[in-house]
């Protein structure tokens, strides 16, 4: 190989390594991500990375700006009111039925399932993210001995007992497992619950530089969540046109409507399930982050033909507690505040490149670990055909899966007089939870909930900040949803007052 070809090969390797590093250290100043699928990436300020870590004054000195002396860099305090809305989300595989059930119905791929609105469900009702609510499946599965709610099948006059006697004559409750009566398209004997989700609140962030390149931030907030059931859509009648009525004269549309669909409220009361609208207010997480960052001057003593820039690696170690109200497991349509009572810890590492008078870009990679917590009266399926609504509850401990987050950032400081802007692309990936029964009982099937616990979301943060003085600024941030798996398609708008002193 000639020297010329070796040099080209070496240059190509260096270029690929640089690209790899840039995309390996990708995201922003998230510090920690969240367990909440309605708000997986909560933002606490409209500020860009540099001002959050109190770097702006040092960068202004490097760029020889006239107003660098006027900029403070000891503390930065942000007050940020926000609003968050969602009406739709996407299921765990982006399709309208669970992949775990496809083999039971000889369906090789859930993409063959046809929803009401087209061949592939991109956006689903928020109440259907883990599957539409099946009513006939409530009669399936074994009867647990460790259930913490009353057994509705003990009372022959209960609504579930009367439905069981109507559809499974001569059978004993706890013995039904025949898949032929379950509609794989989740229409016959299924409900769909479109929800309207609204979150309003205010968040606070205080950043402090302790010494030289070291500092800390404290973040917290409070909010109210209103989640309203916009409609209860009985899909049973729609199944007649789709040809999904089971071939059994004892299980027909009229009887299913009479014994199951039309008595939803009565059945919910029997199994201790709250299916009402919810409007709650609570404190969110309290986060504490220790950070280190350093701006290295690159090519500062070189000739002008070499670009001069700042290389800014940084590292954060973070922890959080969730002192707010914990979502009650039997509230079907409640959304959690913060991490729903779970504490968390994590770390973030990243790198940023700042070119004078042009742009800066970079990003990070981060990891969040959540700690185990126990819950009482937690609904757990007793049949693999049950979706969203389960007839029995028990006490469980939940060890959430870890979160990984990645992303990329590009920003311009004072690109138009006192106006700065930035854009961040983000992806958050939540791994599978581990759910353990406090009292072993083979009638319960927690593995189904574990399979449905993963989620992934991609979003962008577009921010603008205008400095009305060297140390006071007004900000605006829009968190834009791009794609989701098993999460809300939440859009967030935030305003901010940011003071440096």
């Amino acid at each position: 190989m000639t020297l010329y070809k070796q040099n080209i090969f070496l240059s190509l390797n260096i270029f690929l390594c640089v690209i790899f590093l840039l995309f390996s250290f990708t995201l922003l100043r998230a510090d920690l991500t969240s367990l909440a699928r309605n708000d997986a990436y909560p933002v606490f300020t409209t500020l860009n990375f540099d001002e959050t870590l109190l770097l702006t004054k040092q960068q202004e000195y490097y760029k020889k700006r006239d107003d660098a002396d006027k900029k403070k860099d000891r503390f930065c305090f942000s007050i940020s009111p926000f609003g968050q809305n969602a009406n739709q989300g996407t299921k765990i595989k982006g399709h309208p039925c669970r992949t775990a059930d496809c083999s039971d119905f000889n369906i090789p791929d859930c993409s063959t399932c046809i929803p009401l609105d087209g061949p592939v469900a991109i956006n689903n009702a928020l109440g259907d993210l883990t599957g539409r609510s099946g009513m006939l499946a409530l009669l399936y599965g074994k009867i647990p001995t460790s259930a913490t709610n009353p057994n509705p099948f003990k009372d022959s006059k209960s609504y579930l007992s009367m439905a069981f006697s109507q559809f499974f004559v001569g059978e004993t409750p706890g013995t039904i497992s025949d898949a032929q009566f379950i509609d794989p398209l989740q229409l016959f004997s299924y409900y769909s619950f479109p929800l309207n989700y609204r979150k309003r609140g205010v968040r606070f962030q205080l950043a402090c530089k302790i010494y030289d390149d070291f500092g800390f931030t404290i973040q917290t907030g409070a909010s109210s969540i209103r989640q309203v059931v916009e409609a209860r859509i009985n899909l049973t009648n729609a199944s007649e046109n789709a040809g999904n009525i089971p071939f059994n004269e004892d299980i027909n549309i009229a009887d299913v409507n009479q014994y199951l669909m039309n008595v939803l409220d009565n059945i919910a009361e029997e199994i201790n399930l709250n299916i009402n609208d919810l409007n709650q207010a609570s404190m969110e997480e309290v986060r504490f982050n220790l950070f280190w960052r350093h701006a290295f001057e690159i090519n500062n003593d070189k000739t002008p033909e070499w670009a001069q820039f700042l290389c800014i690696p940084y590292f954060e170690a973070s922890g959080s507690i969730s002192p707010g109200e914990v979502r009650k497991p039997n509230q079907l349509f409640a959304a959690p505040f913060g991490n729903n009572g779970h504490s968390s810890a994590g770390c973030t590492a990243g790198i940023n490149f700042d070119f004078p008078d042009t742009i800066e870009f970079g990003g990070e990679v981060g990891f969040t670990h959540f700690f185990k917590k126990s819950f009482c009266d937690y609904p757990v399926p007793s049949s693999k055909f049950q979706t969203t609504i389960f007839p029995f509850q028990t006490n469980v401990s939940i060890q959430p899966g870890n979160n990984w987050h990645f992303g990329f950032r590009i920003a311009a400081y004072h690109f138009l007089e006192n106006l700065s802007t930035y854009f961040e692309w983000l992806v958050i990936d939540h791994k599978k939870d581990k759910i353990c029964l406090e009292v072993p009982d083979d009638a319960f099937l927690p593995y189904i909930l574990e399979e449905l616990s993963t989620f992934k979301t991609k979003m962008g943060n577009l921010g603008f900040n205008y400095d009305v003085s060297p140390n006071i600024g007004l900000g605006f941030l829009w968190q834009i949803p791009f794609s989701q798996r098993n999460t809300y398609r939440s859009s967030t708008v935030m305003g901010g007052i940011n003071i440096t002193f």
Side-chain angles (χ1 to χ4, degrees):
M1 182 181 293
T2 66
L3 182 60
Y4 175 76
K5 291 182 177 179
Q6 288 177 342
N7 288 337
I8 292 178
F9 183 75
L10 180 61
S11 299
L12 179 61
N13 281 343
I14 293 174
F15 175 77
L16 292 175
C17 287
V18 170
I19 295 298
F20 174 77
L21 286 173
L22 289 178
F23 283 92
S24 294
F25 293 100
T26 47
L27 197 94
L28 73 166
R29 45 175 165 69
D31 313 317
L32 294 171
T33 51
S34 173
L35 266 180
R37 346 178 153 218
N38 53 302
D39 194 6
Y41 189 86
V43 285
F44 291 84
T45 178
T46 64
L47 292 174
N48 186 27
F49 154 84
D50 309 309
E51 294 181 276
T52 300
L53 299 187
L54 298 167
L55 263 173
T56 305
K57 183 173 183 176
Q58 185 175 347
Q59 291 170 298
E60 292 296 273
Y61 271 128
Y62 175 77
K63 298 171 185 178
K64 299 179 175 61
R65 299 279 173 82
D66 294 336
D67 57 353
D69 288 328
K70 299 178 182 179
K71 187 71 176 177
K72 307 298 183 182
D73 66 346
R74 177 62 66 182
F75 297 96
C76 182
F77 180 64
S78 298
I79 303 175
S80 306
F82 71 95
Q84 187 176 71
N85 296 344
N87 293 303
Q88 297 175 318
T90 306
K91 295 190 179 184
I92 194 165
K93 294 296 182 182
H95 301 306
C97 64
R98 291 203 330 237
T99 55
D101 290 343
C102 289
S103 59
D104 297 313
F105 306 110
N106 297 315
I107 298 175
D109 184 353
C110 272
S111 62
T112 61
C113 297
I114 308 298
L116 291 177
D117 54 353
V120 178
I122 302 301
N123 293 313
N124 301 94
L126 291 179
D128 303 345
L129 294 188
T130 56
R132 292 168 178 158
S133 300
M135 299 299 291
L136 186 61
L138 296 177
L139 309 178
Y140 278 58
K142 298 180 180 178
I143 304 298
T145 58
S146 61
T148 56
N149 61 323
N151 177 4
F153 296 102
K154 278 188 174 181
D155 182 359
S156 60
K157 295 183 179 180
S158 73
Y159 288 91
L160 283 182
S161 286
M162 289 189 291
F164 189 93
S165 299
Q166 173 66 26
F167 299 130
F168 301 106
V169 179
E171 301 289 344
T172 302
T175 61
I176 305 302
S177 60
D178 193 344
Q180 68 171 311
F181 306 131
I182 302 297
D183 184 356
L185 303 191
Q186 296 190 352
L187 297 174
F188 184 79
S189 82
Y190 282 86
Y191 266 109
S192 176
F193 293 109
L195 306 179
N196 185 299
Y197 164 79
R198 298 293 182 265
K199 186 175 186 179
R200 303 291 183 266
V202 60
R203 289 177 178 149
F204 307 92
Q205 176 174 284
L206 174 66
C208 174
K209 186 172 71 172
I210 303 172
Y211 174 76
D212 198 14
D213 290 324
F214 293 90
F216 68 84
T217 60
I218 298 175
Q219 301 164 323
T220 189
S223 64
S224 66
I225 295 178
R226 180 175 181 267
Q227 190 150 256
V228 175
V229 183
E230 293 185 313
R232 296 179 178 180
I233 303 176
N234 180 358
L235 300 171
T236 302
N237 295 332
S239 65
E240 184 174 10
N241 296 328
N244 294 304
I245 300 176
F247 295 101
N248 186 313
E249 60 183 12
D250 295 325
I251 302 180
N252 55 65
I253 286 179
D255 288 342
V256 164
N257 282 331
Q258 178 182 350
Y259 287 95
L260 291 171
M261 312 306 287
N262 296 341
V263 291
L264 172 63
D265 289 306
N266 305 89
I267 291 175
E269 185 177 357
E270 280 184 353
I271 62 178
N272 189 34
L273 187 67
N274 184 340
I275 58 174
N276 297 321
D277 302 339
L278 288 169
N279 192 348
Q280 299 173 304
S282 176
M283 189 175 181
E284 297 186 316
E285 291 179 81
V286 178
R287 298 180 173 191
F288 187 81
N289 314 294
L290 288 172
F291 66 79
W292 169 88
R293 80 287 187 276
H294 186 79
F296 293 94
E297 298 180 4
I298 306 300
N299 295 331
N300 200 37
D301 55 351
K302 304 294 183 182
T303 59
E305 63 192 43
W306 294 94
Q308 297 181 356
F309 62 94
L310 292 175
C311 177
I312 309 170
Y314 61 94
F315 179 82
E316 289 182 292
S318 308
S320 84
I321 58 173
S322 294
E325 185 171 345
V326 177
R327 175 186 179 273
K328 295 180 181 179
N330 72 329
Q331 292 178 334
L332 184 61
F333 301 124
F337 293 92
N339 292 323
N340 198 34
H342 294 271
S343 298
S344 68
C347 59
T348 301
I351 192 168
N352 215 48
F353 299 94
D354 185 8
F355 292 83
D357 302 318
T358 55
I359 64 169
E360 56 181 296
F361 64 92
E364 69 188 36
V365 58
F367 170 82
T368 304
H369 173 78
F370 303 95
F371 295 94
K372 183 187 295 186
K373 181 176 175 58
S374 295
F375 295 89
C376 297
D377 304 324
Y378 201 92
V380 178
S382 54
S383 167
K384 61 185 177 181
F385 302 114
Q386 292 168 359
T387 51
T388 305
I389 295 179
F390 310 121
F392 296 103
Q393 301 164 6
T394 189
N395 298 333
V396 301
S397 64
I398 300 180
Q399 172 60 68
N402 298 320
N403 277 10
W404 286 92
H405 63 266
F406 309 88
F408 181 78
R409 175 196 316 112
I410 186 169
Y413 181 75
H414 283 185
F415 75 99
L416 185 63
E417 294 186 355
N418 296 329
L419 182 64
S420 304
T421 187
Y422 64 92
F423 176 78
E424 299 162 330
W425 176 85
L426 315 168
V427 56
I428 298 99
D429 190 8
H430 176 72
K431 302 302 182 182
K432 187 188 300 185
D433 297 347
K434 179 63 178 176
I435 302 175
C436 297
L437 304 176
E438 297 285 0
V439 178
D441 190 333
D442 63 0
F444 284 115
L445 306 176
Y447 77 89
I448 293 177
L449 298 181
E450 293 176 352
E451 293 295 328
L452 295 171
S453 65
T454 63
F455 65 82
K456 187 174 185 178
T457 182
K458 298 176 184 178
M459 64 186 70
N461 285 338
L462 177 63
F464 294 91
N465 290 281
Y466 184 83
D467 293 333
V468 297
S469 79
N471 297 293
I472 299 176
L474 303 176
F476 169 83
L477 180 139
W478 178 25
Q479 188 172 86
I480 312 163
F482 290 146
S483 68
Q484 303 78 37
R485 286 292 180 268
N486 204 18
T487 64
Y488 286 32
R489 188 174 175 82
S490 302
S491 178
T492 305
V493 173
M494 172 177 282
I497 301 174
N498 308 300
I499 304 172
T500 306
F501 52 98

